Amino acid sequence: MDVKPHAGFGILSFVVAVLAVLCFVAAVIGSAFYLADGVVWPGYMATGAIVLNMSGIVFAVLGELEPETEKLFPHLSAGLHLILLVFNIVVIVQGYK
């Protein structure tokens, strides 16, 4: 049986996706509880989640391009990053209304 290894960039992209989820959740919870106090760290967390999503998409694409590797993690992480990026954009747009 020919066993192919998982894509290294795909695993890295999945780990970055988990970190982006944590940043996004922290930003939403922080903005719900601390926004009236003038605290700015939820905005930093939201910006960090967007940066993590953009870099994670790059890592997912690089994981897709690795030859002779399994593509499970690049597929999962690309989907997670795109969904999280849409959620981030929706939260930012709704915040300006």
Side-chain angles (χ1 to χ4, degrees), residues 18 29 33 37 44 48 50 53 61-62 64 80 84 89 97:
V18 170
I29 291 173
F33 291 110
D37 297 334
Y44 294 147
I50 291 173
N53 282 324
V61 169
L62 289 174
E64 290 286 339
L80 274 173
L84 283 171
I89 291 170
K97 288 186 176 184

Side-chain angles (χ1 to χ4, degrees), residues 10-22:
I11 295 171
L12 175 64
S13 179
F14 189 76
V15 170
V16 170
V18 170
L19 291 175
V21 168
L22 293 175

Side-chain angles (χ1 to χ4, degrees), residues 8-66:
F9 282 115
I11 295 171
L12 175 64
S13 179
F14 189 76
V15 170
V16 170
V18 170
L19 291 175
V21 168
L22 293 175
C23 281
F24 179 72
V25 169
V28 170
I29 291 173
S31 65
F33 291 110
Y34 299 111
L35 194 60
D37 297 334
V39 177
V40 295
W41 67 264
Y44 294 147
M45 294 296 272
T47 304
I50 291 173
V51 169
L52 285 172
N53 282 324
M54 299 299 274
S55 62
I57 289 172
V58 170
F59 290 137
V61 169
L62 289 174
E64 290 286 339
L65 296 177
E66 287 186 22

